[in-house]
């Protein structure tokens, strides 16, 4: 996560698609993004996919699973 | 092609389930003859529909089983290759919530729900490098798959957040 946040801070990120489905106390989030910029002197131009599972706990939505892929 | 699953974890939440597993995939592309040998991770999301568990979404990522050694200053944070992404929602069984999206764009759906707002807020926090804020949206026992590896606690994010 630490490297991710350092990395992401340097990039322009455009969400290409994002769908969230809620069913009771569970929800899933599926998205794709396009990341562009320069990180440590290297040009970055890539697309990323993300899946999340969320659960409503004590009336608050919490992310219980993340899968990042690019 | 050989495809093996191991370390399968099944998480049941009434009529919803999410499953994570380690994968190994080895074979040869018929057209090009190129051989591949990869290891990775896979997420499956299931929904119970008419007493049958149906896969509603999967995401797989993998990397070479014997990756090349890359110097630290040349490495990017993530070097992984997606195999497949599927999305087969059964709208008839999507009970939804009171916050279902009305967006006309099919690629952007459900974004007015409270769950979506949590995701968007999390994205904003990590994109700004605000680990402390990002941590607020994560369950303590979160499982994060990334780059063929896994994090099984929000603790590291909590600790690192104070670096920002």
């Amino acid at each position: 996560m630490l490297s991710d946040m350092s990395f992401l801070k340097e990039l322009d990120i455009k969400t290409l698609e994002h769908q969230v489905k809620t069913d009771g106390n569970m929800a899933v989030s599926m998205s794709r993004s396009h990341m562009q910029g320069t990180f440590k002197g290297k040009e970055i131009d890539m697309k990323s996919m993300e899946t999340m599972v969320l659960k409503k706990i004590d009336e608050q939505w919490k992310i219980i699973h993340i899968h990042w892929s690019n | 092609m050989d495809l093996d699953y191991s370390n399968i974890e099944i998480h049941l939440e009434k009529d919803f389930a999410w499953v994570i597993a380690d994968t190994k995939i080895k074979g040869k592309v018929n057209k090009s003859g190129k051989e591949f040998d990869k290891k990775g991770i896979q997420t499956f999301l299931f929904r119970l529909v008419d007493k049958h568990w149906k896969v509603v979404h999967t995401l797989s990522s993998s990397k070479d089983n014997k990756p090349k050694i890359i110097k630290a200053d040349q490495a990017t944070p993530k070097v992984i290759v997606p195999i497949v992404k599927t999305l087969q929602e059964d709208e008839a069984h999507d009970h939804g919530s009171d916050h279902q999206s009305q967006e006309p764009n099919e690629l952007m759906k459900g974004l007015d729900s409270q769950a979506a707002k949590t995701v968007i807020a999390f994205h904003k926090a990590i994109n700004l490098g605000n680990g402390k804020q990002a941590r607020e949206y994560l369950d303590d026992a979160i499982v994060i798959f990334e780059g063929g590896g896994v994090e099984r606690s929000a603790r590291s994010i909590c600790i690192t957040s104070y670096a920002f």
Side-chain angles (χ1 to χ4, degrees):
Chain A
M1 280 293 293
L2 179 62
S3 62
D4 294 325
M5 287 187 282
S6 303
F7 181 62
L8 294 171
K9 271 171 68 177
E10 305 301 321
L11 302 179
D12 291 323
I13 301 168
K14 181 183 179 186
T15 302
L16 301 175
E17 64 175 295
H18 190 186
Q19 295 113 35
V20 177
K21 305 287 285 185
T22 304
D23 192 347
N25 288 331
M26 299 298 295
V28 297
S29 170
M30 299 154 284
S31 63
R32 291 191 308 123
S33 301
H34 188 190
M35 302 175 176
Q36 289 178 296
T38 304
F39 182 71
K40 293 184 177 177
K42 188 174 180 180
E43 289 292 320
I44 305 293
D45 184 353
M46 64 185 197
K47 289 178 180 173
S48 172
M49 294 187 286
E50 176 192 88
T51 297
M52 286 187 182
V53 179
L54 296 96
K55 186 177 182 180
K56 201 174 187 180
I57 302 169
D58 296 333
E59 296 305 308
Q60 286 196 318
W61 285 100
K62 294 287 185 180
I63 300 164
I64 60 174
H65 174 57
I66 301 175
H67 190 157
W68 280 311
S69 173
N70 64 269
Chain B
M1 183 182 78
D2 295 323
L3 175 61
D4 292 322
Y5 293 97
S6 59
N7 297 324
I8 299 170
E9 286 183 27
I10 302 171
H11 301 262
L12 272 176
E13 302 280 352
K14 293 183 181 175
D15 57 354
F16 176 83
W18 55 285
V19 176
I20 53 180
D22 293 339
T23 59
K24 278 188 179 178
I25 183 168
K26 191 175 182 179
K28 189 164 77 173
V29 180
N30 287 335
K31 200 170 182 179
S32 66
K34 187 178 179 181
E35 294 185 354
F36 54 87
D37 181 3
K38 293 175 178 292
K39 60 182 178 181
I41 47 187
Q42 188 153 11
T43 296
F44 296 91
L45 307 183
F46 292 85
R47 185 175 289 163
L48 191 59
V49 179
D50 294 335
K51 298 182 181 178
H52 295 284
W53 286 102
K54 301 283 188 179
V55 177
V56 295
H57 176 77
T58 74
L59 179 59
S60 303
S61 53
S62 66
K63 60 184 179 182
D64 288 339
N65 211 1
K66 296 174 183 174
K68 294 175 184 175
I69 297 171
I70 301 171
K71 290 181 181 178
D73 60 354
Q74 295 174 334
T76 55
K78 293 179 279 187
V79 186
I80 48 182
V81 180
I83 303 172
V84 64
K85 179 188 178 189
T86 62
L87 175 61
Q88 297 175 334
E89 296 284 354
D90 185 343
E91 294 293 339
H93 294 274
D94 174 30
H95 304 298
S97 71
D98 295 335
H99 309 286
Q100 283 300 299
S101 152
Q102 298 298 318
E103 291 91 344
N105 185 345
E106 288 297 308
L107 297 179
M108 302 289 182
K109 292 178 73 176
L111 302 187
D112 55 350
S113 68
Q114 290 301 313
K117 287 174 182 174
T118 298
V119 173
I120 292 166
F122 174 77
H123 285 162
K124 186 178 178 182
I126 61 171
N127 292 347
L128 292 172
N130 189 341
K132 187 176 180 180
Q133 184 65 39
R135 169 68 181 88
E136 293 293 314
Y137 306 112
L138 304 180
D139 186 57
D140 292 342
I142 188 170
V143 178
I144 301 174
F145 276 2
E146 182 190 13
V150 58
E151 291 180 30
R152 291 183 182 276
S153 165
R155 183 180 296 175
S156 61
I157 299 160
C158 184
I159 293 169
T160 58
S161 68
Y162 296 104
F164 292 92

